[in-house]
Amino acid sequence: MPTADAEVRTVLEEWAEATRLGRRDEILKHHSANLVIFDVLPPMMYAGAEAYKRSWDEWQPGTQGEAVFNLENLTITAGSDVAFAHSFIRCGGTLPDGTTFQDLVRATFCLRKVDGSWLVEHQHVSKPYVNS
């Protein structure tokens, strides 16, 4: 039987894969309908999965082929019904005009086990501001 840490890792890796492959119907498969997301781009806070879904066409770049969206240094701490995790996310891809892009952001996830399944209740993605 998988440990709680392994179950949470599977949830987050499935989220990353769905995002990478552009499988929009699967991206929020393991997210609570009432989750709160703090994100890198405005409006920076989304209350609920539906609000987040409605924003995708405004900011999600269309890429050619598979996008880059990899969890790096994923660290998980899980109990019997609550877990948190943090990771870097390397993202990028090739735009329709052939231009490539890449970025590194950081992410924190708070999950709760509901009826035997782990759900993301809070997700926070940010990028440090570097003053040059």
Side-chain angles (χ1 to χ4, degrees):
M1 182 166 153
T3 66
D5 285 13
E7 291 171 347
V8 169
R9 180 174 300 278
T10 297
V11 164
L12 296 176
E13 291 289 355
E14 285 181 6
W15 167 75
E17 179 179 20
T19 302
R20 182 172 45 254
L21 298 176
R23 295 182 181 155
R24 289 184 174 200
D25 292 343
E26 297 175 26
I27 291 173
L28 297 178
K29 174 180 164 182
H30 299 291
H31 286 63
S32 167
N34 299 317
L35 86 148
V36 173
I37 294 179
F38 292 144
D39 208 359
V40 174
L41 301 172
M44 297 174 63
M45 181 185 159
Y46 298 91
E50 286 305 315
Y52 187 56
K53 279 183 186 180
R54 285 192 302 269
S55 76
W56 287 349
D57 287 333
E58 297 171 20
W59 62 264
Q60 194 166 28
T63 57
Q64 295 180 18
E66 187 174 317
V68 175
F69 198 86
N70 301 318
L71 300 176
E72 297 181 359
N73 302 320
L74 178 60
T75 302
I76 299 165
T77 301
S80 60
D81 61 353
V82 176
F84 64 90
H86 56 85
S87 172
F88 288 105
I89 302 173
R90 185 163 310 278
C91 46
T94 303
L95 298 173
D97 67 2
T99 305
T100 60
F101 68 97
Q102 186 171 342
D103 207 352
L104 185 68
V105 296
R106 54 193 177 192
T108 302
F109 307 90
C110 301
L111 299 93
R112 188 166 55 103
K113 198 166 198 177
V114 178
D115 297 328
S117 298
W118 288 101
L119 295 177
V120 177
E121 295 281 347
H122 177 67
Q123 179 174 307
H124 186 149
V125 179
S126 63
K127 182 174 172 110
Y129 173 75
V130 179
N131 190 5
S132 49

